[in-house]
Amino acid sequence: MLALVAPGPAYQDVVELVADLRARGAHVLTVAPDDDADLPLPQGMPETLAPIVAVVRAQQLARALALRLGHDPDGPAGLTKVTAT
């Protein structure tokens, strides 16, 4: 599971959920503005900008996963980048 732990109203709920899931044996990776996060975000980011930074981290994760699985992230199956005119 990938958990976004960002500042804001849901912060404490997400922290508790991550702890609960880990206690139940789930493998949870965190994306957070903490030094011990699996995918750290910059610290001190305003809450309103945190999703933008988190999306970039998610894209980096998706690319790394695609490469690890032997896929070409720039040429996915079923996608053509041609516009018929």
Side-chain angles (χ1 to χ4, degrees):
M1 170 182 252
L2 184 63
L4 175 60
V5 186
Y11 176 83
Q12 192 58 42
D13 291 335
V14 175
V15 168
E16 291 172 12
L17 176 62
V18 168
D20 183 49
L21 291 170
R22 285 180 174 161
R24 295 174 184 225
H27 183 72
V28 182
L29 300 175
T30 58
V31 180
D34 299 322
D35 291 334
D36 62 343
D38 298 292
L39 292 170
L41 298 174
Q43 296 183 5
M45 180 70 51
E47 180 184 350
T48 54
L49 298 178
I52 296 169
V53 177
V55 164
V56 172
R57 274 300 202 200
Q59 290 173 336
Q60 291 170 331
L61 176 64
R63 181 182 183 278
L65 182 58
L67 292 173
R68 184 172 181 158
L69 294 174
H71 301 293
D72 178 6
D74 294 320
L79 177 67
T80 56
K81 297 180 180 181
V82 177
T83 303
T85 55

